[in-house]
Amino acid sequence: MTTNDSAGGAGRVQVHKGGGIGVLGLGAYIPDKVVSNFDLEKLVDTTDEWIVQRTGIRERRVVEEGETVVSIAKKAAELALADAGISGGDVGLVIVATATPDYFTPAAASLVQHAIGARACAAFDLNAGCSGSLYALIMARAYIESGACDYALVIGAEILTRAVDWDDRKTCILFGDAAGAAVVGRVGQGRGFLSSMLRSDGEGASMITIPAYHINEEDLGRRGGVKKPTVWLEGRKVMKFASRAMSASVEGVAAAAGLGVGDVRLVVPHQANLRIIENASKRLGLAEDRVFVNIHKYGNTSAASILVSLHEAEAAGMVKDGDHVALVAFGAGLTYGAALMRM
Ligand code: UT7
């Protein structure tokens, strides 16, 4: 069942009537190594004060040399499987959401599948920028509803610190490494995902890029002729887009589920910039204690962000049985969207 999207177009806000499919277990892997803003002061022309004021970030985590997207994804996945009380052999779908894969091919998901002992199941990577794990959760929900399997493993894993230019103060201060994982499966009636919307606005595709084999002249010009496969973004423009897109998405999924924003106990937003989160919260009229924030500890971990956050929110007792929780994200594409769940 669907309702019309106020933004128009072919996409709809989807109503998952009666729920019934949701998150059964969560896990996260956070690398041990901490890099503070003060450490970055020694690398580029920046200050702790500037970074805290403009982004809310105080420190981020960085993987060790031998760690890979697959190795950190596996660690988060194993914790999520244990939390759900199932084993790798029960999993019928593995999706790894990442914009920083170890290999373009094979998919990280196939390697994770093997590493956790899942067999004869579907596995693929998904790139929707920082919205990747939100997209993956909703794809997994639909796959389970179709009857193709009982359990799906959704992982957001990123090693952004290998994709940033450590000489570029505009981007290197923003990102960190992490992996988050969720087991999606059947939950009780009236629980789980109640509504969702996934969107892409490709008109803004040039605002956040990491090039691969081809790079057009326009993009090369923007990057000052530098072809390095590093993150480049037009931060100001993204900020404007993001707070609007996030607030509209939360309103959209709440309305589709027959609820007001006031009924949502906790919003778990993608952690890109504290100012974006605060602007979106203000538009939604949400008090501080209704919006989860951990950007000060980890920076922007892209596709890992909302799964790590949901895991931490649950571990901190901020999410109780029966609560309505909204996940909301935006990222390269420009992608954005939200999902409303009842725990
Ligand atoms: O998750 C999706 C990907 N994430 C994003 O797309 C990030 C979204 N955007 C943002 O978070 C913000 O736009 C930033 C944090 C990236 C930048 O904040 P801003 O308030 O938009 O700053 P700005 O880019 O307009 O730069 C303001 C000034 C500039 O100097 P001038 O031109 O005013 O002299 C920059 O050169 O701050 C300067 N600046 C810095 N100064 C000290 C930029 N980076 C730094 C830095 N330290 N690290």
Side-chain angles (χ1 to χ4, degrees):
M1 185 185 165
T2 56
T3 64
N4 285 333
D5 183 358
S6 59
R12 301 188 180 94
V13 184
Q14 207 179 357
V15 182
H16 310 302
K17 208 168 176 357
I21 299 171
V23 172
L24 293 167
L26 289 162
Y29 173 72
I30 309 292
D32 290 336
K33 188 172 163 191
V34 177
V35 173
S36 72
N37 292 347
F38 298 104
D39 295 326
L40 295 184
E41 285 183 359
K42 294 173 202 142
L43 282 185
V44 286
D45 179 16
T46 192
T47 59
D48 170 64
E49 192 189 358
W50 190 95
I51 301 172
V52 172
Q53 267 179 14
R54 300 278 179 146
T55 71
I57 301 166
R58 291 184 183 276
E59 56 189 41
R60 70 284 296 138
R61 301 299 181 99
V62 176
V63 292
E64 297 296 338
E65 212 175 302
E67 291 186 298
T68 63
V69 162
V70 170
S71 74
I72 67 173
K74 174 181 180 254
K75 286 180 177 164
E78 284 172 343
L79 293 169
L81 290 171
D83 191 37
I86 64 165
S87 69
D90 298 320
V91 172
L93 169 68
V94 179
I95 310 177
V96 175
T98 186
T100 54
D102 303 325
Y103 288 83
F104 287 130
T105 199
S110 293
L111 301 177
V112 173
Q113 174 211 345
H114 178 63
I116 61 163
R119 297 172 70 85
C121 80
F124 64 93
D125 288 358
L126 184 157
N127 181 351
C130 305
S131 311
S133 48
L134 176 72
Y135 268 60
L137 287 168
I138 299 310
M139 296 298 144
R141 195 211 72 82
Y143 197 67
I144 290 167
E145 188 179 48
S146 77
C149 68
D150 293 329
Y151 300 104
L153 183 59
V154 168
I155 306 158
E158 301 277 18
I159 302 186
L160 259 308
T161 61
R162 286 188 188 142
V164 293
D165 177 352
W166 286 100
D167 294 326
D168 176 14
R169 68 173 184 176
K170 286 189 177 155
T171 48
C172 75
I173 54 127
L174 297 173
F175 297 100
D177 305 332
V183 172
V184 179
R186 297 209 175 262
V187 293
Q189 264 308 102
R191 291 175 187 275
F193 294 105
L194 302 181
S195 58
S196 63
M197 60 180 275
L198 301 177
R199 296 286 180 274
S200 173
D201 182 356
E203 206 182 336
S206 65
M207 285 185 210
I208 310 173
T209 56
I210 305 178
Y213 302 118
H214 171 75
I215 174 164
N216 67 36
E217 289 305 316
E218 209 182 318
D219 203 13
L220 195 57
R222 262 191 294 269
R223 294 171 156 268
V226 178
K227 278 191 178 170
K228 280 191 286 187
T230 48
V231 182
W232 183 91
L233 52 85
E234 229 167 324
R236 261 291 142 101
K237 285 193 185 166
V238 177
M239 282 229 297
K240 270 194 196 150
F241 165 86
S243 23
R244 247 194 335 257
M246 295 225 289
S247 52
S249 301
V250 172
E251 278 166 353
V253 292
L259 300 169
V261 172
D263 300 311
V264 180
R265 178 67 208 108
L266 191 71
V267 173
V268 179
H270 166 49
Q271 311 280 316
N273 185 318
L274 186 59
R275 283 153 67 206
I276 295 175
I277 296 173
E278 285 173 350
N279 287 343
S281 308
K282 206 163 139 199
R283 281 168 178 271
L284 291 165
L286 287 172
E288 239 177 55
D289 69 329
R290 307 267 300 283
V291 182
F292 186 80
V293 172
N294 61 7
I295 189 167
H296 51 290
K297 298 191 289 183
Y298 307 136
N300 182 346
T301 61
S302 187
S305 159
I306 59 167
L307 290 177
V308 168
S309 298
L310 183 61
H311 175 252
E312 289 197 346
E314 196 170 57
M318 294 169 75
V319 177
K320 305 235 159 42
D321 204 36
D323 279 351
H324 288 102
V325 173
L327 305 177
V328 58
F330 72 93
L334 294 170
T335 56
Y336 63 102
L340 188 81
M341 303 187 291
R342 184 164 170 263
M343 306 306 282

